[in-house]
Amino acid sequence: MVRTVGANWGLVTQGTFMVVMTTVFFYMITAYTPTFGNKVLALGPGESLFVTACVGITNFTLLPVMGALSDRIGRKPLLITATLLGILLAYPLMRWLVDAPSFGRLLTVELLLAAIYATYNGAFIVYLTEVIPAHVRTVGFSLAYSLATAVFGGFTPAISTALIGATGDKAIPGAWCALAALLSLLALLIGARDAPATP
């Protein structure tokens, strides 16, 4: 199995970069929202937690819908649309939020980011299983997802806090999300199906 994964390491690496957007957006809209709302925007803890709960409901609702939509129109259109929206909107949305922080703006921004996340992830989970060869699918999928989470997603709260401290820009976490979306878009455009796979 180790030799098989090694022979398909390029595909696993490509899959890892495809996962980056999923993990970064997930940690941004869930784990980091309470901290961002309380510490950066000076909103009440109850407001931030309520927004996080709304994000969870949005994900619960939209993920199967987007998965079903990807069955009808294909995975790539949704994946590319979501990554482009992430690149174009993540920072402007955060900029709009921090310019006049409020519960309403936080809820609006987080739900929009959640919708982008759900659009991507609803199609992506199936897409990644489809592009990884069956003989290495379980290990390849696990490695790609775990690596992206460990290197990118899991550090999103810490990276966001560090970026704000280094730049003084409270909206800079949006740029981190945009970068994640760009990395995933590039991996998608390269095309996992084109990567060599060796039995």
Side-chain angles (χ1 to χ4, degrees):
M1 181 59 71
V2 173
R3 292 179 61 185
T4 302
V5 172
N8 289 272
W9 189 247
L11 184 56
V12 172
T13 301
Q14 201 167 32
T16 298
F17 282 101
M18 290 181 192
V19 180
V20 169
M21 178 172 170
T22 284
T23 60
V24 168
F25 269 67
F26 177 79
Y27 279 90
M28 181 65 69
I29 63 180
T30 57
Y32 188 58
T33 294
T35 300
F36 187 72
N38 298 342
K39 304 297 184 182
V40 180
L41 303 180
L43 299 176
E47 294 174 315
S48 299
L49 289 175
F50 180 78
V51 169
T52 304
C54 290
V55 165
I57 294 170
T58 300
N59 291 340
F60 180 80
T61 304
L62 285 183
L63 279 167
V65 172
M66 293 304 172
L69 182 60
S70 75
D71 288 337
R72 294 179 63 87
I73 68 172
R75 320 286 182 215
K76 278 283 188 77
L78 285 181
L79 295 173
I80 292 174
T81 297
T83 52
L84 288 174
L85 288 173
I87 293 166
L88 296 174
L89 296 181
Y91 184 80
L93 284 172
M94 294 295 282
R95 181 80 268 158
W96 176 72
L97 170 60
V98 302
D99 283 345
S102 69
F103 167 74
R105 287 197 178 199
L106 178 62
L107 181 62
T108 299
V109 168
E110 292 295 309
L111 290 184
L112 287 172
L113 293 178
I116 293 172
Y117 161 79
T119 300
Y120 187 81
N121 205 46
F124 171 73
I125 295 299
V126 179
Y127 179 77
L128 187 58
T129 61
E130 290 172 342
V131 299
I132 295 179
H135 60 277
V136 72
R137 184 166 294 154
T138 301
V139 176
F141 184 98
S142 300
L143 275 175
Y145 216 98
S146 298
L147 285 171
T149 301
V151 177
F152 295 93
F155 284 104
T156 287
I159 289 171
S160 297
T161 300
L163 288 173
I164 292 172
T167 65
D169 182 359
K170 295 179 180 179
I172 201 67
W176 173 240
C177 286
L179 175 61
L182 176 61
L183 290 174
S184 290
L185 176 62
L186 292 175
L188 286 165
L189 292 178
I190 290 169
R193 291 187 186 278
D194 298 330
T198 304

